[in-house]
């Protein structure tokens, strides 16, 4: 086994709901994410995939247990320290693409670089490079409404990876795409892992994703089953 970049150790997450009852969304989860690999979290609706990926990416905190990133327990980082960590080292791709409609694809990716504090002088070259990497060099100056769903999702991926994060989290990135377009996105993820050495963690129901995954964890009722 290669280097472990991220791990969940005995992670549980309870949600209290309105009527006073408690949902045990995650129960004592232990997983390891290997650097430079594509890891898939699969499972039925409600099995805990989103809850787990949010905790791995420090968007949420576990009720019990910890998340270790590059040897550091990030569970007890302050909000500010978690924000910095996410901005610098992590990236997120969601099911519905959240691009800014008034900006072109190029400007959307450039804006992401600005938020990440990427040096101004290098931004334009970097955007051109990453748009080429995702196969959209011919669509750079289109607005989201002038692109297909798959092109929009690839733009969102370009924006996520432009600042070269160590870890990319994607929650059902192909759920709103047709089969052919989804396959294109799957292939892109695979290339990013194999050719750029990225580490990707994604949730999916999509069987074609399982084929390209280096490691698959299956969740059932908040537990990992083998
Ligand atoms: N904020 C919340 N408050 C209460 N219960 C929650 C909350 N978020 C999730 N849950 C519950 O936790 C369980 C896991 O939800 P989660 O969203 O992680 O599932 P999922 O595997 O991502 O499902 P899907 O495939 O539908 O996206 C579900 O039973 C859900 O109802
Ligand atoms: Mg989900």
């Amino acid at each position: 086994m290669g280097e472990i970049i991220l791990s969940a150790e005995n992670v549980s997450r309870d949600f209290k709901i309105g009527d006073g009852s408690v949902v045990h969304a995650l129960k004592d989860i232990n997983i390891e994410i290997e650097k430079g690999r594509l890891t898939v979290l699969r499972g039925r609706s409600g099995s805990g995939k989103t809850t787990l990926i949010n905790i791995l990416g420090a968007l949420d905190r576990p009720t019990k247990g910890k998340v270790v990133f590059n040897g550091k327990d990030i569970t007890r980082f302050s909000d500010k320290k978690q924000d910095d960590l996410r901005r610098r080292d992590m990236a997120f791709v969601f099911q519905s693409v959240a691009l800014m409609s008034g900006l072109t694809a190029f400007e959307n990716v450039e804006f992401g670089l600005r938020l990440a504090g990427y040096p101004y002088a290098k931004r334009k070259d970097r955007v051109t490079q990453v748009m080429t990497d995702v196969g959209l060099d011919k669509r750079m100056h289109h607005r989201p409404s002038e692109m297909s769903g798959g092109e929009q999702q690839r733009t969102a991926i370009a924006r996520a990876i432009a600042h070269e994060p160590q870890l990319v989290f994607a929650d059902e990135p192909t759920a709103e795409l047709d089969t052919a377009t989804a396959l294109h996105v799957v292939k892109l993820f695979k290339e990013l892992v194999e050719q750029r050495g990225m580490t990707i963690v994604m949730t999916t129901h999509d069987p074609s994703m399982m084929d390209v995954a280096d490691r698959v964890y299956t969740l059932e009722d908040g537990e990992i089953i083998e």
Side-chain angles (χ1 to χ4, degrees):
M1 197 162 194
E3 189 184 334
I4 304 301
I5 186 170
L6 185 75
S7 60
E9 300 179 12
N10 307 107
V11 163
S12 298
R13 178 66 166 104
D14 297 338
F15 291 108
K16 288 202 180 66
I17 53 174
D19 64 5
S21 62
V22 176
V23 176
H24 303 289
L26 298 176
K27 303 166 198 161
D28 205 24
I29 301 283
N30 287 283
I31 63 171
E32 290 182 324
I33 307 299
E34 216 178 321
K35 195 174 176 146
R37 297 275 188 268
L38 176 58
T39 301
V40 162
L41 309 175
R42 68 191 278 254
R44 260 186 239 124
S45 178
S47 59
K49 302 180 298 295
T50 296
T51 307
L52 181 55
I53 207 167
N54 286 346
I55 286 176
L56 291 173
L59 290 167
D60 184 25
R61 294 177 192 270
T63 310
K64 270 195 297 199
K66 60 183 179 180
V67 175
V68 178
F69 174 61
N70 283 332
K72 286 196 197 103
D73 178 2
I74 62 169
T75 321
R76 275 148 204 101
F77 275 19
S78 65
D79 288 350
K80 165 82 171 67
K81 241 178 130 185
Q82 285 194 343
D83 286 347
D84 290 345
L85 172 77
R86 279 198 309 274
R87 200 169 302 136
R88 203 182 45 237
D89 295 321
M90 298 177 171
F92 298 86
V93 177
F94 300 101
Q95 175 174 343
S96 341
V97 184
L99 297 171
M100 277 174 279
S101 59
L103 303 183
T104 65
F106 187 98
E107 290 163 344
N108 266 283
V109 176
E110 192 182 33
F111 185 70
L113 283 179
R114 202 165 96 197
L115 292 182
Y118 201 85
Y120 176 76
K122 293 203 227 157
R123 272 183 222 156
K124 285 206 154 48
D125 284 349
R126 180 61 190 146
V127 177
T128 307
Q129 177 62 53
V130 77
M131 290 303 283
T132 307
D133 289 348
V134 301
L136 286 180
D137 41 317
K138 303 255 177 0
R139 293 287 180 274
M140 285 201 288
H141 304 296
H142 286 232
R143 290 208 165 76
S145 62
E146 299 156 351
M147 292 190 290
S148 72
E151 288 169 348
Q152 290 178 42
Q153 189 57 295
R154 280 186 280 151
T155 304
I157 293 167
R159 184 179 57 184
I161 65 171
H163 65 295
E164 298 178 68
Q166 296 195 52
L167 257 171
V168 178
F169 297 100
D171 193 5
E172 311 254 3
T174 60
E176 290 183 2
L177 306 176
D178 62 66
T179 313
T181 312
L183 213 53
H184 209 116
V185 169
V186 172
K187 278 206 197 114
L188 171 60
F189 275 123
K190 192 68 186 162
E191 276 169 29
L192 292 172
V193 168
E194 285 181 347
Q195 290 161 29
R196 316 266 160 207
M198 290 205 159
T199 305
I200 300 179
V201 183
M202 75 171 80
T203 70
T204 186
H205 293 101
D206 187 340
S208 63
M209 283 285 196
M210 312 302 164
D211 298 340
V212 299
D214 296 301
R215 178 87 207 240
V216 178
Y217 286 104
T218 305
L219 277 159
E220 206 176 278
D221 270 341
E223 293 180 283
I224 299 285
I225 55 162
E226 290 306 332

